[in-house]
């Protein structure tokens, strides 16, 4: 699993190092009971709270979470996507210094690596929370990576034509407006 790629003890989170993240990520991905998956999310948020500044641990976490969308339990999918979405949108007061902007760019590049996954899940997954997070993540990718902007707007527009997407039309329209 990708968690082994990082030296978590030396990866700094908002409040501590990332040493608890590998176990929490693995527990989140393999959970067979919703309560265990939610507990893993709480452990992750102790190191990388969604409403605070991004950190080096956030970048590594994003990489692992994007990768985990392929190998997770079904119980965890909405939580994984929700974490990515919350972290990408809830960065607290964003500093303008070069070091933070670099961390933020690295984080968003990792999130963008999941663009095809978000598109596939938006088109095929029946869960409301999964689809909502995918709409947000597709929009985030298009806003950050200008090479994805047109593609994101097109994908979201096409998704409106799919069955059972009526309830998402206003969110999709707002996302497309943001992209234009």
């Amino acid at each position: 699993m990708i968690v082994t790629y990082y030296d978590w003890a030396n990866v700094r989170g908002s409040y501590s190092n990332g040493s608890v993240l590998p176990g929490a990520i693995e527990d989140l991905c393999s959970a067979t009971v919703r309560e265990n998956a939610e507990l893993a999310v709480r452990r992750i948020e102790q190191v990388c709270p969604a409403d605070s500044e991004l950190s080096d641990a956030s970048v590594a976490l994003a990489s692992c979470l994007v990768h985990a969308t392929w190998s997770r339990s079904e119980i965890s999918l909405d939580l994984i996507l929700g974490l990515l979405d919350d972290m990408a949108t809830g960065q607290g007061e964003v500093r303008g210094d070069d070091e933070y902007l670099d961390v933020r760019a690295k984080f968003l590049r990792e999130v963008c690596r999941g663009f095809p996954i978000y598109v596939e899940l938006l088109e095929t997954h029946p869960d409301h929370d999964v689809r909502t997070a995918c709409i947000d993540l597709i929009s985030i990718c298009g806003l950050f990576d200008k090479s994805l902007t047109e593609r994101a707007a097109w994908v979201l527009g096409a998704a409106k034509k799919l069955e059972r997407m009526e309830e998402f039309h206003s969110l999709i329209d707002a996302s497309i407006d943001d992209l234009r």
Side-chain angles (χ1 to χ4, degrees), residues 149-180:
T149 303
E150 267 187 60
R151 182 80 176 151
W154 182 84
V155 163
L156 291 172
K160 283 180 63 175
K161 299 173 187 168
L162 298 173
E163 290 183 35
R164 300 182 320 248
M165 290 297 286
E166 296 80 17
E167 67 184 289
F168 301 100
H169 283 195
S170 62
L171 176 59
I172 289 172
D173 289 339
S175 295
I176 292 171
D177 287 346
D178 289 344
L179 290 164
R180 299 196 191 277

Side-chain angles (χ1 to χ4, degrees), residues 2-20:
I2 195 169
V3 297
T4 61
Y5 296 179
Y6 296 96
D7 179 9
W8 293 101
N10 291 314
V11 176
R12 293 295 308 159
S14 296
Y15 303 111
S16 64
N17 71 31
S19 60
V20 301

Side-chain angles (χ1 to χ4, degrees), residues 17-29:
N17 71 31
S19 60
V20 301
L21 289 176
I25 294 166
E26 289 172 355
D27 290 349
L28 174 61
C29 294

